[in-house]
Each structure stands twice: as structure tokens, then as C-alpha cells.
Amino acid sequence: SLLEKDLSAKLEGVFQDKFVVHALVKDTLSTLKESLQRPRVERPVCWLIIGPVNSGKSALVHRLQRDLGGDAERKVGAINELPLLVIEVPSRPTEPRLNLAIARALRMPVASEHESRRISDTILRNLIQRKVRMIVFVEMDHFEPLPEDEQTVVFDFIKNITNEGIVVVGVGTEDC
């Protein structure tokens, strides 16, 4: 019926991608995608995307996710590949809390922060096995209020991720 067609057209418009790609966004997306083409044996270039609140940083990350296949896993042999991980940095991101966030994104069976304390090596093995090529840490400004010694521990763990050839992208406001 005419009413059903009209409703269908309206719903199609609601779910249509409304992401506006201007030159800076296009260049940023291209640069991020190009960084994935580097050989894994090289230390990757890492990126920090900084902007004020409501400037489109999250939309950029969602677009990158969509362009790279989202958080969908690709079955390759017995391995479920997950080329891009987007991690919401927890408030007060201690090493165990960051481990827990990454483990959950990898769909590892870790139930609590307490269990995540000593799984850094397991996480790194999972990242390699799952062929993760890029990790995007959203809300990097959550690191800012940490004491320097806690920041050092967490950033050393992130450095170990880059040692595996995984591109790390941090997203946050000017506070980070």
C-alpha cells in the first residue's frame, strides 16, 4: 500500500549514514587506513586525535570501524580475526581495568578486574592470534588524572602492544 511505501522510505532515511566527509576527515581516515598497510615487523606509527567535545571524534571512529568491517570477526581457518578493536578507556584506567576492557573487547572469558591483573601476556597473545591490526582508545583524557607511576605502568603496557606491530590510536579532548 501507499502508506507502507511512505513509511518504508521514511525509515530508510532514518537509518541512512549521515556522516559528512570533509577534507580533514577524509585525510585522517586515509592516513589511519594507510598505517595498517605497513609491514607488521616495523614499529607502527601511533596517532592521537584531539578535539573539543562534540567535534566529531567519535563519528570519525565509527566511520573507521564501518570502513574496516566494524567489530565483526572474520573466520579464517580456526581463527576469528578481529582487525580493529575500539576500547572505551575506563575512568581511572589502572592496568587491571585497562586489561579487563581489552579482554572484554577480545571476547576473552575474564569475569572481573581481579582476574585481569596478570593477563597482560595472554592479552598480547590474543591480539596477535586474532590478527588485530589497530586498537583505538577512546576517552584518552581519563589517563590525565592518574599519578605518574600509574601512568607509566599503563603506557608501558600500551607500548608493548605497539611492539607487536599493532597501530594504537588515542582519541580525546585537549585534556589528554
Side-chain angles (χ1 to χ4, degrees), residues 21-58:
V21 180
H22 53 76
L24 181 60
V25 170
K26 188 176 183 179
D27 291 346
T28 303
L29 284 169
S30 293
T31 300
L32 291 171
K33 289 176 192 174
E34 286 170 17
S35 67
L36 294 175
Q37 304 308 314
R38 294 175 54 138
R40 201 173 184 128
V41 294
E42 295 180 19
R43 180 179 289 274
V45 175
C46 296
W47 303 98
L48 186 57
I49 299 171
I50 298 173
V53 174
N54 293 326
S55 64
K57 300 178 302 295
S58 294

CSV table of all heavy atoms in Angstrom, one decimal, residues 21-58:
chain,number,residue,atom,x,y,z
A,21,VAL,N,31.8,13.8,5.1
A,21,VAL,CA,33.2,13.7,5.0
A,21,VAL,C,33.8,15.0,4.4
A,21,VAL,O,33.5,15.3,3.2
A,21,VAL,CB,33.6,12.5,4.1
A,21,VAL,CG1,35.1,12.4,3.9
A,21,VAL,CG2,33.0,11.2,4.6
A,22,HIS,N,34.5,15.8,5.2
A,22,HIS,CA,35.1,16.9,4.6
A,22,HIS,C,36.6,16.6,4.5
A,22,HIS,O,37.1,15.5,4.9
A,22,HIS,CB,34.8,18.2,5.4
A,22,HIS,CG,35.1,18.1,6.9
A,22,HIS,ND1,36.4,18.1,7.4
A,22,HIS,CD2,34.3,18.0,8.0
A,22,HIS,CE1,36.4,18.0,8.7
A,22,HIS,NE2,35.1,17.9,9.1
A,23,ALA,N,37.4,17.5,4.0
A,23,ALA,CA,38.8,17.2,3.6
A,23,ALA,C,39.6,16.7,4.8
A,23,ALA,O,40.3,15.7,4.6
A,23,ALA,CB,39.4,18.5,3.0
A,24,LEU,N,39.5,17.3,5.9
A,24,LEU,CA,40.3,16.9,7.1
A,24,LEU,C,40.0,15.5,7.5
A,24,LEU,O,40.8,14.7,7.8
A,24,LEU,CB,40.2,17.9,8.2
A,24,LEU,CG,41.0,17.6,9.5
A,24,LEU,CD1,42.5,17.6,9.2
A,24,LEU,CD2,40.7,18.6,10.6
A,25,VAL,N,38.7,15.2,7.6
A,25,VAL,CA,38.2,13.9,8.0
A,25,VAL,C,38.7,12.9,6.9
A,25,VAL,O,39.2,11.8,7.3
A,25,VAL,CB,36.7,13.9,8.1
A,25,VAL,CG1,36.2,12.4,8.3
A,25,VAL,CG2,36.3,14.7,9.3
A,26,LYS,N,38.5,13.2,5.7
A,26,LYS,CA,38.9,12.3,4.6
A,26,LYS,C,40.4,12.0,4.7
A,26,LYS,O,40.9,10.8,4.6
A,26,LYS,CB,38.6,12.9,3.2
A,26,LYS,CG,38.8,12.0,2.1
A,26,LYS,CD,38.3,12.6,0.8
A,26,LYS,CE,38.5,11.7,-0.4
A,26,LYS,NZ,38.0,12.3,-1.6
A,27,ASP,N,41.2,13.0,4.9
A,27,ASP,CA,42.7,12.8,5.1
A,27,ASP,C,43.0,12.0,6.3
A,27,ASP,O,43.9,11.1,6.2
A,27,ASP,CB,43.4,14.2,5.2
A,27,ASP,CG,43.4,15.0,3.9
A,27,ASP,OD1,43.0,14.4,2.8
A,27,ASP,OD2,43.7,16.2,3.9
A,28,THR,N,42.3,12.2,7.4
A,28,THR,CA,42.6,11.5,8.6
A,28,THR,C,42.2,10.0,8.5
A,28,THR,O,43.0,9.1,8.8
A,28,THR,CB,41.8,12.1,9.8
A,28,THR,OG1,42.1,13.5,10.0
A,28,THR,CG2,42.1,11.4,11.1
A,29,LEU,N,41.1,9.7,7.9
A,29,LEU,CA,40.7,8.3,7.6
A,29,LEU,C,41.7,7.7,6.7
A,29,LEU,O,42.1,6.5,6.9
A,29,LEU,CB,39.3,8.3,7.0
A,29,LEU,CG,38.1,8.5,7.9
A,29,LEU,CD1,36.8,8.7,7.2
A,29,LEU,CD2,38.0,7.3,8.9
A,30,SER,N,42.1,8.4,5.6
A,30,SER,CA,43.1,7.8,4.7
A,30,SER,C,44.4,7.5,5.4
A,30,SER,O,45.0,6.4,5.2
A,30,SER,CB,43.4,8.7,3.5
A,30,SER,OG,42.2,8.8,2.7
A,31,THR,N,44.9,8.4,6.2
A,31,THR,CA,46.1,8.2,7.0
A,31,THR,C,46.0,7.0,7.9
A,31,THR,O,47.0,6.2,8.0
A,31,THR,CB,46.5,9.5,7.8
A,31,THR,OG1,46.6,10.6,6.9
A,31,THR,CG2,47.8,9.3,8.5
A,32,LEU,N,44.9,6.9,8.6
A,32,LEU,CA,44.8,5.8,9.6
A,32,LEU,C,44.7,4.5,8.8
A,32,LEU,O,45.3,3.5,9.2
A,32,LEU,CB,43.5,5.9,10.4
A,32,LEU,CG,43.5,7.1,11.4
A,32,LEU,CD1,42.1,7.3,12.0
A,32,LEU,CD2,44.6,6.8,12.5
A,33,LYS,N,44.0,4.4,7.7
A,33,LYS,CA,43.9,3.2,6.9
A,33,LYS,C,45.3,2.8,6.3
A,33,LYS,O,45.7,1.7,6.3
A,33,LYS,CB,42.9,3.3,5.8
A,33,LYS,CG,41.5,3.4,6.3
A,33,LYS,CD,40.5,3.6,5.2
A,33,LYS,CE,39.1,3.9,5.7
A,33,LYS,NZ,38.2,4.3,4.6
A,34,GLU,N,46.0,3.8,5.8
A,34,GLU,CA,47.4,3.6,5.3
A,34,GLU,C,48.3,3.0,6.3
A,34,GLU,O,49.2,2.2,6.0
A,34,GLU,CB,47.9,4.9,4.7
A,34,GLU,CG,47.3,5.3,3.4
A,34,GLU,CD,47.7,6.7,2.9
A,34,GLU,OE1,48.7,7.2,3.5
A,34,GLU,OE2,47.0,7.3,2.1
A,35,SER,N,48.1,3.5,7.6
A,35,SER,CA,49.0,3.0,8.6
A,35,SER,C,48.9,1.5,8.8
A,35,SER,O,49.8,0.8,9.3
A,35,SER,CB,48.8,3.7,9.9
A,35,SER,OG,47.6,3.5,10.5
A,36,LEU,N,47.7,0.9,8.4
A,36,LEU,CA,47.5,-0.5,8.5
A,36,LEU,C,48.2,-1.3,7.4
A,36,LEU,O,48.4,-2.5,7.5
A,36,LEU,CB,46.0,-0.8,8.5
A,36,LEU,CG,45.2,-0.3,9.6
A,36,LEU,CD1,43.7,-0.6,9.4
A,36,LEU,CD2,45.6,-0.9,10.9
A,37,GLN,N,48.7,-0.6,6.4
A,37,GLN,CA,49.3,-1.3,5.3
A,37,GLN,C,50.8,-1.5,5.5
A,37,GLN,O,51.5,-2.3,4.8
A,37,GLN,CB,49.1,-0.5,4.0
A,37,GLN,CG,47.7,-0.2,3.6
A,37,GLN,CD,46.8,-1.4,3.6
A,37,GLN,OE1,47.2,-2.4,3.1
A,37,GLN,NE2,45.7,-1.3,4.3
A,38,ARG,N,51.4,-0.9,6.6
A,38,ARG,CA,52.8,-1.1,6.9
A,38,ARG,C,53.0,-2.5,7.3
A,38,ARG,O,52.2,-3.1,8.0
A,38,ARG,CB,53.2,-0.1,8.0
A,38,ARG,CG,53.2,1.3,7.6
A,38,ARG,CD,53.5,2.2,8.7
A,38,ARG,NE,54.8,1.8,9.3
A,38,ARG,CZ,55.7,2.6,9.7
A,38,ARG,NH1,55.5,3.9,9.7
A,38,ARG,NH2,56.8,2.2,10.3
A,39,PRO,N,54.2,-3.1,7.0
A,39,PRO,CA,54.5,-4.4,7.5
A,39,PRO,C,54.5,-4.5,9.0
A,39,PRO,O,54.9,-3.6,9.7
A,39,PRO,CB,55.9,-4.7,7.0
A,39,PRO,CG,56.2,-3.6,5.9
A,39,PRO,CD,55.3,-2.5,6.2
A,40,ARG,N,54.0,-5.6,9.5
A,40,ARG,CA,53.8,-5.8,11.0
A,40,ARG,C,55.2,-5.8,11.7
A,40,ARG,O,55.2,-5.6,12.9
A,40,ARG,CB,53.0,-7.0,11.2
A,40,ARG,CG,52.4,-7.0,12.6
A,40,ARG,CD,51.5,-8.2,12.8
A,40,ARG,NE,50.8,-8.1,14.1
A,40,ARG,CZ,49.6,-8.1,14.3
A,40,ARG,NH1,48.8,-8.4,13.3
A,40,ARG,NH2,49.1,-8.0,15.5
A,41,VAL,N,56.3,-6.1,11.0
A,41,VAL,CA,57.6,-6.2,11.6
A,41,VAL,C,58.1,-4.8,12.0
A,41,VAL,O,59.0,-4.7,12.8
A,41,VAL,CB,58.6,-6.9,10.7
A,41,VAL,CG1,58.2,-8.3,10.5
A,41,VAL,CG2,58.8,-6.2,9.4
A,42,GLU,N,57.6,-3.8,11.4
A,42,GLU,CA,58.0,-2.4,11.8
A,42,GLU,C,57.2,-1.9,13.0
A,42,GLU,O,56.1,-2.3,13.2
A,42,GLU,CB,57.8,-1.4,10.6
A,42,GLU,CG,58.6,-1.7,9.4
A,42,GLU,CD,58.3,-0.7,8.3
A,42,GLU,OE1,57.8,0.4,8.6
A,42,GLU,OE2,58.6,-1.1,7.1
A,43,ARG,N,57.9,-1.0,13.8
A,43,ARG,CA,57.1,-0.4,14.9
A,43,ARG,C,56.1,0.6,14.2
A,43,ARG,O,56.5,1.4,13.4
A,43,ARG,CB,58.0,0.4,15.8
A,43,ARG,CG,57.2,1.1,16.9
A,43,ARG,CD,58.1,1.8,17.9
A,43,ARG,NE,58.9,1.0,18.7
A,43,ARG,CZ,58.5,0.5,19.9
A,43,ARG,NH1,57.3,0.7,20.3
A,43,ARG,NH2,59.3,-0.3,20.6
A,44,PRO,N,54.8,0.4,14.5
A,44,PRO,CA,53.8,1.2,13.9
A,44,PRO,C,53.9,2.7,14.3
A,44,PRO,O,54.3,3.0,15.4
A,44,PRO,CB,52.5,0.6,14.3
A,44,PRO,CG,52.8,0.0,15.6
A,44,PRO,CD,54.3,-0.5,15.5
A,45,VAL,N,53.4,3.5,13.4
A,45,VAL,CA,53.1,4.9,13.8
A,45,VAL,C,51.9,4.9,14.7
A,45,VAL,O,50.9,4.2,14.4
A,45,VAL,CB,52.9,5.8,12.5
A,45,VAL,CG1,52.6,7.2,12.9
A,45,VAL,CG2,54.1,5.7,11.6
A,46,CYS,N,51.9,5.7,15.7
A,46,CYS,CA,50.7,5.8,16.6
A,46,CYS,C,50.1,7.2,16.4
A,46,CYS,O,50.9,8.1,16.1
A,46,CYS,CB,51.1,5.5,18.0
A,46,CYS,SG,51.7,3.8,18.3
A,47,TRP,N,48.8,7.3,16.7
A,47,TRP,CA,48.1,8.5,16.4
A,47,TRP,C,47.4,9.0,17.6
A,47,TRP,O,46.9,8.2,18.4
A,47,TRP,CB,47.1,8.3,15.3
A,47,TRP,CG,47.8,7.8,14.0
A,47,TRP,CD1,47.9,6.5,13.6
A,47,TRP,CD2,48.5,8.6,13.1
A,47,TRP,NE1,48.6,6.5,12.4
A,47,TRP,CE2,49.0,7.7,12.1
A,47,TRP,CE3,48.8,9.9,13.0
A,47,TRP,CZ2,49.8,8.1,11.0
A,47,TRP,CZ3,49.6,10.4,11.9
A,47,TRP,CH2,50.0,9.5,10.9
A,48,LEU,N,47.3,10.3,17.8
A,48,LEU,CA,46.5,10.9,18.8
A,48,LEU,C,45.5,11.9,18.1
A,48,LEU,O,46.0,12.8,17.5
A,48,LEU,CB,47.3,11.6,19.9
A,48,LEU,CG,46.6,12.2,21.1
A,48,LEU,CD1,45.9,11.1,21.8
A,48,LEU,CD2,47.7,12.8,22.0
A,49,ILE,N,44.2,11.6,18.2
A,49,ILE,CA,43.2,12.5,17.6
A,49,ILE,C,42.6,13.3,18.8
A,49,ILE,O,42.0,12.8,19.7
A,49,ILE,CB,42.2,11.7,16.9
A,49,ILE,CG1,42.8,10.9,15.8
A,49,ILE,CG2,41.0,12.6,16.4
A,49,ILE,CD1,41.9,9.9,15.2
A,50,ILE,N,42.9,14.6,18.7
A,50,ILE,CA,42.4,15.5,19.8
A,50,ILE,C,41.5,16.5,19.2
A,50,ILE,O,41.7,17.1,18.1
A,50,ILE,CB,43.6,16.3,20.4
A,50,ILE,CG1,44.6,15.3,21.0
A,50,ILE,CG2,43.2,17.3,21.4
A,50,ILE,CD1,45.9,15.9,21.5
A,51,GLY,N,40.4,16.8,20.0
A,51,GLY,CA,39.5,17.8,19.6
A,51,GLY,C,38.5,18.1,20.7
A,51,GLY,O,38.4,17.4,21.7
A,52,PRO,N,37.8,19.3,20.6
A,52,PRO,CA,36.9,19.6,21.7
A,52,PRO,C,35.7,18.7,21.7
A,52,PRO,O,35.5,17.9,20.7
A,52,PRO,CB,36.5,21.1,21.3
A,52,PRO,CG,36.8,21.2,19.9
A,52,PRO,CD,37.9,20.3,19.6
A,53,VAL,N,35.0,18.7,22.8
A,53,VAL,CA,33.7,17.9,22.9
A,53,VAL,C,32.8,18.2,21.7
A,53,VAL,O,32.7,19.4,21.2
A,53,VAL,CB,33.0,18.3,24.2
A,53,VAL,CG1,31.7,17.6,24.3
A,53,VAL,CG2,33.9,17.9,25.4
A,54,ASN,N,32.2,17.2,21.2
A,54,ASN,CA,31.2,17.3,20.0
A,54,ASN,C,31.9,17.8,18.8
A,54,ASN,O,31.2,18.5,17.9
A,54,ASN,CB,30.0,18.3,20.4
A,54,ASN,CG,29.2,17.7,21.5
A,54,ASN,OD1,29.0,16.5,21.5
A,54,ASN,ND2,28.6,18.5,22.3
A,55,SER,N,33.1,17.5,18.6
A,55,SER,CA,33.8,17.9,17.3
A,55,SER,C,33.8,16.8,16.3
A,55,SER,O,34.3,17.0,15.2
A,55,SER,CB,35.2,18.4,17.6
A,55,SER,OG,36.0,17.3,18.1
A,56,GLY,N,33.2,15.7,16.6
A,56,GLY,CA,33.1,14.6,15.6
A,56,GLY,C,34.2,13.5,15.7
A,56,GLY,O,34.3,12.7,14.8
A,57,LYS,N,34.9,13.4,16.8
A,57,LYS,CA,35.9,12.4,17.0
A,57,LYS,C,35.2,11.0,17.1
A,57,LYS,O,35.7,10.1,16.4
A,57,LYS,CB,36.7,12.7,18.3
A,57,LYS,CG,37.4,14.0,18.4
A,57,LYS,CD,38.1,14.2,19.7
A,57,LYS,CE,37.2,14.1,20.9
A,57,LYS,NZ,36.2,15.2,21.1
A,58,SER,N,34.2,10.9,17.8
A,58,SER,CA,33.5,9.6,17.9
A,58,SER,C,32.9,9.2,16.5
A,58,SER,O,33.0,8.0,16.1
A,58,SER,CB,32.4,9.6,18.9
A,58,SER,OG,33.0,9.8,20.2
